[in-house]
Amino acid sequence: LALEQRRLKNENAYLRQQLDERFGLGAMIGQSPRMRELFQLIETIAPTATTILINGETGTGKEMVARAIHQTSPRREQRFVAINCSAIPETLLEAELFGHERGAFTDAHRAKPGLFQAAHGGTLFLDEIGLLPASVQAKLLTAIEERSVRRLGSTRPEAVDACFISATNVDLQVALRERRF
């Protein structure tokens, strides 16, 4: 039993090192002043409990930055849960994010926790939030502000302790003026 525990502990340490190399700051390359500034910013915000928004064009590495923040944070031992909000139909998005109770809708044969609950203790990365429908935006904002979610079909909120990182390629200032965000 002691040998098995030691083996598992060593394997765990090795896998954590692999995660750090693949997703941490070590996975990001660049020596330009802008990249060094980004590395410093990641190291500064990673230990905080703040909600983070990453804005940038498609293909610039927003998810890589989010993973580096997670891997540098005190939450690195917990889950990093990512969802591309634009890849899931609006009709399913709310159930994916917040979960649902059995019988909440036609195909809800059993209760299912949402991604907010899956990220409890870790990090929830919401990619492409700028493309979310307004109805989901309001519920998402409430969940992040109150740090709790209510599954579809439930009347009781459940606390969520997670770091929330969002990303978008949409210019949110323009979206705000046009009342799309």
Side-chain angles (χ1 to χ4, degrees):
L1 183 62
L3 287 175
E4 179 65 12
Q5 283 182 330
R6 183 169 181 84
R7 185 191 68 75
L8 288 173
K9 186 175 180 179
N10 289 340
E11 181 179 346
N12 192 345
Y14 171 76
L15 291 173
R16 292 214 180 281
Q17 178 186 357
Q18 295 297 309
L19 281 173
D20 284 341
E21 288 174 11
R22 184 163 182 204
F23 298 116
L25 285 176
M28 300 177 70
I29 58 172
Q31 295 297 321
S32 71
R34 295 282 295 185
M35 287 303 291
R36 287 194 305 268
E37 185 180 314
L38 176 62
F39 298 153
Q40 181 60 47
L41 183 59
I42 289 169
E43 289 178 338
T44 301
I45 63 173
T48 68
T50 189
T51 300
I52 300 163
L53 173 65
I54 302 168
N55 194 282
E57 295 178 19
T58 300
T60 55
K62 295 181 293 292
E63 184 170 347
M64 180 180 269
V65 170
R67 286 183 183 275
I69 292 168
H70 174 75
Q71 284 302 119
T72 308
S73 80
R75 296 175 181 271
R76 69 182 156 271
E77 308 236 350
Q78 302 300 319
R79 291 185 69 187
F80 178 89
V81 178
I83 180 172
N84 183 332
C85 296
S86 68
I88 298 177
E90 180 180 352
T91 54
L92 299 176
L93 189 57
E94 192 174 344
E96 277 297 307
L97 289 172
F98 308 122
H100 60 78
E101 294 297 327
R102 181 175 181 248
F105 49 87
T106 304
D107 291 331
H109 301 295
R110 62 180 174 80
K112 178 181 177 253
L115 296 177
F116 270 81
Q117 292 159 310
H120 186 77
T123 300
L124 178 61
F125 176 59
L126 303 160
D127 199 7
E128 299 306 341
I129 59 150
L131 302 175
L132 281 174
S135 61
V136 179
Q137 288 178 26
K139 292 174 183 172
L140 182 63
L141 178 61
T142 300
I144 291 172
E145 285 180 337
E146 294 179 4
R147 297 199 170 268
S148 69
V149 295
R150 191 171 47 86
R151 292 184 192 185
L152 294 175
S154 176
T155 57
R156 63 180 169 83
E158 296 181 40
V160 176
D161 173 26
C163 173
F164 300 111
I165 303 177
S166 300
T168 186
N169 63 3
V170 172
D171 183 333
L172 293 181
Q173 295 300 325
V174 171
L176 279 167
R177 281 195 300 274
E178 295 175 354
R179 299 199 178 278
R180 292 182 290 122
F181 192 80

